[in-house]
Amino acid sequence: MNIHSLVQFLAISHEAETASELVGELESLLHIHGFGYYGIWFHDKVFADTTDFMLTGRWPAGWRKYYAARKYASIDPLRRMLAVTQRPFRWKDAIAAYQDDPQQKKALRLLRDAAKNGLYDGYVFPIYGRTGLIGTMTIAGVPIDLSPVQLCLFEAVARKSLWRLLELRGAAAELEKRTALEADLTQRQLEVLRLLCDGMTSNEIAKALEISNHTVDWYINVIQEKFNARNRQHVIAMAFRAGLVT
């Protein structure tokens, strides 16, 4: 099963001094296990136009442009599976889960096109943080059966690789700062924040939560201080950007 190579990567990945060095180690690991293609995506909720930013990856020549031109993202069963599961899954399992879907014919066309480019099967590893899905690692190529132990270790590899790449690119601290916002709020403060983001006034929030207007304003002021926000509008913007509300 070549478990040692997975454990070794987890042990030495923190020693990589550059992103390219880390990527080299990761690609060597994937080659050992027989995977020819891969991608690590960072799902940044702060910038709407970069929600699927690929930190690193290697795909068949022209495949990503072809995928985008065909608008496959809207019917891709792998992307849809990410919305309903927090565990690693195999491509074929995601496909089977949507076999009765109205978009099945288009999905099958996607699979045929992928296979023509050497993407026969693979695995997807969701990476979660405090605010939900923050990243994904996909490994693909020829069909390969991974054992439960390998799946578990590859999941750890995915998480380690994402965070290490963010660290080496100077982006980890900012992400941790944003995801820490939710952890810094009480349950009642989160309730007030979500109602505020729904467009409610202080009076409407007070009625919904059966508390006084004064108490609502006090909660909002506390949230504003915690977010270091300039005003209520800034609070709302930061809440959406941090993924606290959708």
Side-chain angles (χ1 to χ4, degrees), residues 228-239:
N228 194 26
R230 295 185 297 274
N231 48 46
R232 291 191 179 196
Q233 290 71 28
H234 195 194
V235 166
I236 293 171
M238 292 183 70

Side-chain angles (χ1 to χ4, degrees), residues 33-212:
H33 289 266
F35 294 99
Y37 303 105
Y38 76 101
I40 297 179
W41 282 268
F42 175 41
H43 305 294
D44 191 346
K45 297 180 179 179
V46 173
F47 303 105
D49 59 342
T50 57
T51 51
D52 288 317
F53 177 69
M54 191 169 76
L55 292 173
T56 185
R58 184 175 65 234
W59 295 101
W63 169 248
R64 294 188 68 207
K65 288 185 177 180
Y66 181 82
Y67 179 96
R70 286 283 194 152
K71 296 181 171 56
Y72 277 148
S74 63
I75 54 91
D76 190 340
L78 304 184
R79 295 173 65 94
R80 299 175 70 183
M81 192 74 169
L82 280 170
V84 297
T85 185
Q86 297 186 31
R87 295 180 294 176
F89 58 88
R90 193 167 182 173
W91 286 17
K92 66 178 184 180
D93 295 330
I95 296 159
Y98 293 97
Q99 61 182 354
D100 297 324
D101 191 86
Q103 301 288 346
Q104 178 69 356
K105 287 185 178 179
K106 292 182 179 179
L108 291 176
R109 188 185 309 132
L110 162 60
L111 297 178
R112 288 194 295 268
D113 288 342
K116 290 177 183 177
N117 285 271
L119 299 170
Y120 298 97
D121 197 6
Y123 295 84
V124 178
F125 299 89
I127 305 165
Y128 281 84
R130 289 193 184 110
T131 59
L133 186 71
I134 60 172
T136 309
M137 184 175 84
T138 297
I139 55 179
V142 298
I144 295 173
D145 295 324
L146 293 180
S147 70
V149 174
Q150 286 174 307
L151 274 175
C152 182
L153 289 173
F154 261 115
E155 185 175 16
V157 165
R159 185 171 184 82
K160 182 69 174 181
S161 297
L162 174 74
W163 279 103
R164 190 71 184 114
L165 283 169
L166 292 175
E167 288 172 352
L168 292 169
R169 298 182 181 188
E174 177 61 24
L175 177 61
E176 288 177 324
K177 179 181 178 181
R178 292 202 303 265
T179 57
L181 289 175
E182 183 175 27
D184 198 33
L185 297 178
T186 66
Q187 184 61 41
R188 179 61 94 181
Q189 288 166 358
L190 279 172
E191 291 174 349
V192 170
L193 174 63
R194 286 163 182 160
L195 293 176
L196 179 66
C197 291
D198 282 340
M200 287 189 178
T201 64
S202 292
N203 186 49
E204 290 170 334
I205 294 173
K207 288 181 179 178
L209 298 179
E210 298 182 346
I211 56 179
S212 69

